[in-house]
Amino acid sequence: MHGPTQRILLVYTGGTIGMKESPQGLIPVSVDDLLEQLPDLGSLPLELSLCSLDQPMDSSDLQPRHWQEMGSLIAGKADEFDGFLVLHGTDTMAYSSAALSFMLQQLNKPVIFTGSQLPLSHPRSDAGSHLMSALELASACNSDGSPKIPEVTLYFNHQLYRGNRVRKIHALGFDAFDSPNFPVLARAGTRMVISEEVIGQGMPVPDRTESVTKGMRWRPELDTAVGSIKCIPGMSGKALDKYLKDMDFKVLLLEAYGTGNIPNDTTLLDALRSMVARGGQVVALSQCLGGRVDLNQYQAGRRLLDLGALEGKDISFEAALTKSMHLLGCGVPDFAEAFGRSLAGEIS
C-alpha cells in the first residue's frame, strides 16, 4: 500500500481529540500539549509535520473564516507534502470537510479529517485508532507513487467517507458519522480495505488545459449570505416573509418533507416566491437523512418548482450550505446551473 516515505502534514484545529478536563468542562489544549499526548507514530513510513490554527478551539466555535485558515495552511504547503490530516472536533467536521472539498480544487492529494468522541488522554478513547488509521490512509499510494485516495475525506469509527457526503448522526456514540447517499471509501479491520472503484466516482472531469497548466486551484472566496429553515406543521408564511426580507439572504436552504414537499399555504408560497422575485435562490432539500429530492413526484413538491426553487437532489445539508457559500463567493454567473452539477462529487 505504501511507497517511499510519505510526507504528511497534520493540521490541528482543536476538538475533543486534544481536550483536557477543566472546571468549565472539556477545553482544547495547545499544540504543544497535543504533541505530548500523541501515540508513537514510528510504525508508519512517513515524515510527520504539525501545524495549528492560531487558536485551537471547540469545533462549535468554528466559522467560515476558519475553513479559509485551514485551507490556506494546506494550499500553502501543497507542493511540500504528499497528504494532509486535519484533527477536528466532531460537531462541525462535516461542514469543514465539505467546505474544503470545494475550496481545494484539483489538489489531487489526500486531505483526511478525523477526530474523536473521547480525548486522547481518556482510557477508552477512540482517538488513537482514528489517528493511526487516518495516517495510514493519507500515506497510501499506488505502485506508481500516486495517492490512492486523492480526495477530501473524513475518517471515523473504522470507515472513510467522502468529505462532502458525510453527516454527524450521533452525539455520543462512537458511530457518530454516516454517509447515507454514498458508499464508504475504505474500511479498517484487521487490514485496511480501500474501495478503489468508489474513489473519484462522480467527480467532474477537469478541464485538461486548466489541470495541466494551473494544477491545484485554491478558491477561498466565501459569501455567507445563506440562510436555512426547516418546514414544520403550522409554519407561518408571514413570519417567514419578514425573516427573509430582514435577513436579505441570497440563498435559502429549505428543508422540506420527504422528496421536497411543502404545505399548500398561500402565505408560505408567496414568501418564497417573493424571495425568488428579488433575485434570491431557494434550494429544496429533504429533512430525511437518505434519499433524494424529486420535485416532480408529488403535487406538494411541484409547488416549489412552480415558484422557481432548485432541486437539491441527494446533496447533504452540510454540502449544500458550503457549496452555496462557495458559489456565491466565486460570483458564478449562473448559480442554478453551477449548483445543479457536481463540483466535487457531492451529488449523484
Side-chain angles (χ1 to χ4, degrees):
M1 180 179 289
H2 303 284
T5 300
Q6 300 291 291
R7 298 161 297 171
I8 306 297
L9 178 65
L10 194 154
V11 180
Y12 175 53
T13 71
T16 300
I17 192 167
M19 286 187 172
K20 65 179 180 182
E21 290 284 356
S22 79
Q24 293 77 40
L26 288 170
I27 58 173
V29 301
S30 69
V31 67
D32 291 333
D33 288 339
L34 177 73
L35 276 170
E36 294 180 3
Q37 299 182 56
L38 290 177
D40 180 17
L41 304 175
S43 62
L44 294 176
L46 54 84
E47 295 176 7
L48 184 65
S49 298
L50 179 65
C51 67
S52 171
L53 294 188
D54 290 339
Q55 180 61 52
M57 64 189 72
D58 189 301
S59 74
S60 62
D61 290 325
L62 281 171
Q63 300 295 326
R65 69 179 183 274
H66 298 116
W67 304 335
Q68 294 169 323
E69 185 180 349
M70 65 182 78
S72 180
L73 287 172
I74 294 171
K77 302 287 187 179
D79 294 333
E80 298 178 36
F81 291 90
D82 302 300
F84 303 87
L85 178 60
V86 183
L87 297 183
H88 198 291
T90 60
D91 283 348
T92 60
M93 184 153 50
Y95 289 95
S96 295
S97 61
L100 262 63
S101 76
F102 302 123
M103 298 164 76
L104 293 168
Q105 299 179 3
Q106 299 173 196
L107 178 62
N108 201 36
K109 291 182 180 181
V111 176
I112 301 181
F113 283 77
T114 196
S116 64
Q117 292 287 61
L118 292 171
L120 272 163
S121 58
H122 194 283
R124 291 191 299 104
S125 178
D126 50 338
S129 66
H130 288 176
L131 178 62
M132 295 297 286
S133 292
L135 284 171
E136 182 178 351
L137 289 163
S139 59
C141 58
N142 298 306
S143 57
D144 63 357
S146 62
K148 279 187 174 288
I149 310 170
E151 294 192 24
V152 177
T153 61
L154 188 156
Y155 180 84
F156 216 87
N157 195 37
H158 311 298
Q159 300 192 99
L160 183 71
Y161 307 98
R162 178 167 290 173
N164 54 37
R165 291 286 197 152
V166 67
R167 308 201 70 182
K168 186 175 181 182
I169 62 166
H170 205 296
L172 298 174
F174 287 137
D175 54 343
F177 290 89
D178 195 14
S179 177
N181 287 328
F182 197 77
V184 298
L185 305 184
R187 298 179 189 274
T190 55
R191 63 188 183 93
M192 190 69 71
V193 179
I194 297 175
S195 301
E196 297 187 11
E197 71 282 0
V198 181
I199 308 298
Q201 187 181 110
M203 294 284 192
V205 178
D207 183 306
R208 177 167 291 277
T209 56
E210 283 196 349
S211 63
V212 170
T213 59
K214 296 183 180 180
M216 191 278 294
R217 293 182 297 164
W218 166 229
R219 298 302 306 266
E221 306 92 344
L222 295 170
D223 186 333
T224 60
V226 182
S228 70
I229 193 163
K230 178 175 285 189
C231 192
I232 60 172
M235 186 175 189
S236 168
K238 291 183 179 179
L240 175 62
D241 188 50
K242 184 178 187 306
Y243 170 64
L244 294 177
K245 288 176 178 175
D246 288 348
M247 298 303 296
D248 196 27
F249 293 124
K250 297 175 183 176
V251 177
L252 175 70
L253 304 179
L254 176 62
E255 292 186 85
Y257 303 128
T259 58
N261 303 320
I262 62 170
N264 187 20
D265 180 282
T266 301
T267 60
L268 173 61
L269 295 171
D270 285 347
L272 297 172
R273 189 177 291 110
S274 177
M275 180 180 177
V276 174
R278 293 193 299 270
Q281 302 285 347
V282 175
V283 180
L285 305 176
S286 176
Q287 295 180 18
C288 303
L289 280 177
R292 62 185 295 118
V293 169
D294 180 358
L295 297 182
N296 278 301
Q297 187 168 356
Y298 293 93
Q299 183 185 43
R302 293 188 183 186
R303 295 169 189 147
L304 285 172
L305 273 183
D306 292 342
L307 62 84
L310 308 178
E311 281 188 345
K313 303 181 182 179
D314 64 346
I315 196 169
S316 70
F317 180 87
E318 294 84 350
L321 178 75
T322 54
K323 182 178 184 178
S324 296
M325 290 181 177
H326 167 73
L327 293 176
L328 291 175
C330 291
V332 295
D334 189 339
F335 180 92
E337 184 278 331
F339 191 90
R341 60 182 165 86
S342 173
L343 302 182
E346 74 281 0
I347 54 175
S348 301

